[in-house]
Amino acid sequence: MKSSRKAKAIYIIYIACVFVFFYLPIVVTMIFSFNSSKSLTHFSGFSLRWYERLISDGSIVKAVYVSLTIAVFATIISTVLGTLTAIGLSKNKKVIKELIQNINNIPIMNPDIVTAIGLMILFSSIMMPKGYATMLLAHIAFCTPYVITSVYPKVRQMDPSVADAAMDLGATPLEAITKVIIPMLKDGIYAGILLSFTMSFDDFVISYFVTGNGVENISIVVYNMTKRTNPTINALSTIVILVIIIMLVISRFIPAAHKGTMKRILAVMTVVVVGVMIITGLSSSKRVLRVFNSGEYFEPELMEQFEKEYDCKLIYETFDSNESMYTKIKSGAEYDVLVTSDYMIERLIKEEQLQPIDWSKITNKDALDPDVMDFAFDPDNVYSVPYYVGTVGILYNPNVVDEEDLEAGWEILRNPKYKGDIYMIDSERESFMVALKALGYSMNTDNYDEIDEAYKWLIDQRETMDVVYVGDDAIDNMVSGNKSIAVVYSGDAALIMAENDELEYFEPEEGTEEWCDSLIITENCEDTDLAHKFIDFTLREEEGIKNDIFIGYTSPVTSVRKYMAENDYEGLESAYLPEFGRPGNEVFKYQETKLKEHYSDLWTKVKAY
């Protein structure tokens, strides 16, 4: 008896631990959605600011609309197609059944990335403009197999003579299907509906590769938000969680007598969604500008201001890296203005993907700081206009790190005194830059012996220092004081120091990377005049200040930089105003294929060590 009670107690504890493991992250997310600060790990007070930001952010509201309408349409269409296919499948010969079932399993078993690339190539090859229609077709394509898989087992359980009996009693084939067969399959159909809606609403990978023209669902918007510390994600997640809980409660406790009412409500909601879709889908006669930028890299209010001022439609899409941007461009996606980094600009220039800037149309060109012009990747700024600039340096806590140790420069990152207390930047080029500079070499070296020596430096650091490679999550971790040293971009350092005034930023004497993100106009730009107006718009002082407050990086506009240094960034000049042109500082150059492959192979070994 005692042993059975003990076993029961252990089982209950086990179940409780499982539930805690599953639901504790959700609870934490909901709690931090009410945090007054930007930190995702340190609760500093109750606030509704992130819910206010969520409601006022037009891009998120639009993404919710896209996700819901795509999910509803994809669910309805895939349910109809999947149910009819499952019914028809039962009437075929065994060989045909097995063949179709195996074909149906391919999209289910196939990795999402393979499906995404395949659909992207398909839409590009038939010259179909990427946007809402391509995303909807893609969702129907991957939802339908799940409906077939859910409904077909119910079809097999059904007596095949039922439909014949219904027709013998006077029913037409359509009536036999709708009034006899489908009601008997409703459990499988409901399962297919729930699965399709969930798969569609949650999808990111396939949606990311098949969309375009400013159409983004929630998954894409949230993914781009993760590039920076953005607690709006928590607020959005909390609302989604609450909606799901409410729907589950209603479906569980609603009386059976009122289920018909609920069906009518759902039907009305579907009609409303279709109507809104038709209305919002009407074409506009306004001029259109397609901008492709990194996530969280432009103040949303400025988008609306630009549209009103120039009576145009701004289609604004985001990417997570220069490489993914390049992949979409090469796959056939078309944009007018790109915002990308130095080495990628050099690559696009060599591939003749850009058109020269008409500087006579840039009325605010004199506002640009000459020190951030004429970089080696684009001499004389023939093709590019600076957007934001900065450096890479070391952020540290002076209460832990001895000032004398900083004299070692980049070698402080191998000082045993700080073992386990260092964040390295999770980037191939920046990490090799650190090692090459520490060894006294150029970060643009093509000498394989020097590159291999830098690889050994990084491996030695991993062996002896227990470093952690992080991306943008370094921002929140350093704000919370989880480690004392981090290799970061200067703009991120400024943001971190604004939240944690104990930290300081410095650039080693050996030199570091200077980077410049620039605005460029593509070769296939459809409205070059509007593209130049947009570039000129970003160089205005008032608009530049608004953008800088939102982003936190160093503006190339002298007056904006001066204002920010004297006001919002007082005391943070070391990060916000990095020293350009110092001896040893360099800008990344484009790497030829063989050299890039060598770096990539070594970087894979560093990360896997």
Side-chain angles (χ1 to χ4, degrees), residues 316-330:
Y316 184 84
E317 290 187 44
T318 56
F319 54 83
D320 63 320
S321 69
N322 290 320
E323 284 66 32
S324 65
M325 177 275 295
Y326 181 79
T327 300
K328 290 203 74 173
I329 294 293
K330 298 302 286 185

Side-chain angles (χ1 to χ4, degrees), residues 286-305:
K286 291 183 178 180
R287 300 167 68 183
V288 175
L289 185 70
R290 304 162 299 174
V291 178
F292 204 21
N293 195 356
S294 180
E296 294 284 288
Y297 213 25
F298 195 72
E299 166 60 64
E301 291 183 3
L302 292 178
M303 298 182 201
E304 297 177 9
Q305 180 182 333

Side-chain angles (χ1 to χ4, degrees), residues 96-111:
I96 301 297
K97 289 180 185 178
E98 292 179 353
L99 177 62
I100 294 176
Q101 282 183 287
N102 289 329
I103 294 174
N104 185 67
N105 289 334
I106 292 175
I108 298 175
M109 302 297 293
N110 215 21

Side-chain angles (χ1 to χ4, degrees), residues 416-537:
K417 187 189 300 184
Y418 307 110
K419 180 179 179 180
D421 204 18
I422 297 174
Y423 285 126
M424 283 289 289
I425 192 167
D426 190 4
S427 169
E428 173 189 320
R429 300 205 74 172
E430 275 71 20
S431 292
F432 268 96
M433 179 278 294
V434 169
L436 288 166
K437 287 297 182 183
L439 294 167
Y441 302 135
S442 167
M443 68 184 197
N444 288 307
T445 182
D446 57 2
N447 185 309
Y448 282 75
D449 291 335
E450 294 177 356
I451 297 170
D452 292 343
E453 193 176 343
Y455 161 72
K456 293 176 183 176
W457 190 97
L458 292 171
I459 290 295
D460 176 72
Q461 185 196 38
R462 296 218 73 171
E463 287 180 342
T464 60
M465 297 300 296
D466 192 24
V467 298
V468 178
Y469 281 88
V470 294
D472 294 306
D473 46 341
I475 298 175
D476 195 56
N477 280 299
M478 290 302 290
V479 167
S480 303
N482 293 339
K483 293 192 185 297
S484 301
I485 299 176
V487 179
V488 295
Y489 297 106
S490 56
D492 289 342
L495 287 174
I496 296 168
M497 292 164 68
E499 296 285 333
N500 186 341
D501 56 9
E502 291 185 350
L503 303 178
E504 294 185 14
Y505 176 85
F506 92 106
E507 298 168 6
E509 291 297 323
E510 302 99 319
T512 186
E513 171 197 352
E514 292 181 357
W515 57 265
C516 178
D517 289 344
S518 300
L519 295 134
I520 52 180
I521 301 176
T522 62
E523 178 62 29
N524 56 8
C525 175
E526 295 182 355
D527 193 335
T528 56
D529 182 63
L530 192 58
H532 282 89
K533 283 183 169 60
F534 178 78
I535 293 173
D536 198 43
F537 180 81

Side-chain angles (χ1 to χ4, degrees), residues 30 157 338 496:
M30 297 178 74
Q157 295 173 10
L338 307 177
I496 296 168

Side-chain angles (χ1 to χ4, degrees), residues 57-268:
D57 191 337
S59 63
I60 296 179
V61 175
K62 182 181 177 183
V64 171
Y65 164 75
V66 170
S67 292
L68 284 173
T69 54
I70 288 286
V72 168
F73 289 135
T75 299
I76 293 172
I77 297 172
S78 63
T79 300
V80 173
L81 293 176
T83 301
L84 293 177
T85 302
I87 295 171
L89 193 60
S90 66
K91 302 297 182 181
N92 281 289
K93 295 181 180 179
K94 183 178 180 180
V95 176
I96 301 297
K97 289 180 185 178
E98 292 179 353
L99 177 62
I100 294 176
Q101 282 183 287
N102 289 329
I103 294 174
N104 185 67
N105 289 334
I106 292 175
I108 298 175
M109 302 297 293
N110 215 21
D112 281 353
I113 187 65
V114 176
T115 303
I117 296 297
L119 288 169
M120 179 183 70
I121 294 173
L122 171 65
F123 294 137
S124 297
S125 62
I126 62 176
M127 304 298 289
M128 186 173 185
K130 295 184 181 66
Y132 193 96
T134 53
M135 187 187 291
L136 177 59
L137 289 173
H139 281 230
I140 293 170
F142 73 73
C143 285
T144 302
Y146 289 95
V147 176
I148 295 173
T149 303
S150 299
V151 175
Y152 185 65
K154 291 294 181 181
V155 175
R156 292 187 62 185
Q157 295 173 10
M158 186 178 65
D159 187 343
S161 62
V162 171
D164 295 333
M167 286 188 286
D168 287 342
L169 293 172
T172 64
L174 180 61
E175 289 175 331
I177 292 176
T178 57
K179 295 183 178 181
V180 178
I181 296 178
I182 290 180
M184 296 178 68
L185 303 177
K186 63 180 180 180
D187 290 339
I189 293 173
Y190 288 156
I193 289 173
L194 291 174
L195 193 56
S196 295
F197 185 88
T198 303
M199 294 288 293
S200 176
F201 191 81
D202 184 58
D203 179 70
F204 164 71
V205 176
I206 295 175
S207 300
Y208 184 81
F209 281 93
V210 301
T211 191
N213 291 314
V215 178
E216 295 179 324
N217 60 10
I218 292 178
S219 299
I220 296 174
V221 171
V222 169
Y223 180 72
N224 287 322
M225 280 183 177
T226 60
K227 290 179 64 61
R228 306 290 294 279
T229 303
N230 194 331
T232 309
I233 298 173
N234 291 344
L236 176 61
S237 301
T238 301
I239 292 175
V240 172
I241 292 166
L242 291 176
V243 169
I244 292 172
I245 292 173
I246 292 170
M247 291 177 65
L248 288 174
V249 170
I250 292 175
S251 64
R252 175 67 179 84
F253 294 104
I254 187 171
H258 294 294
K259 286 187 176 179
T261 303
M262 285 300 299
K263 290 179 181 178
R264 286 190 288 272
I265 292 173
L266 290 174
V268 172

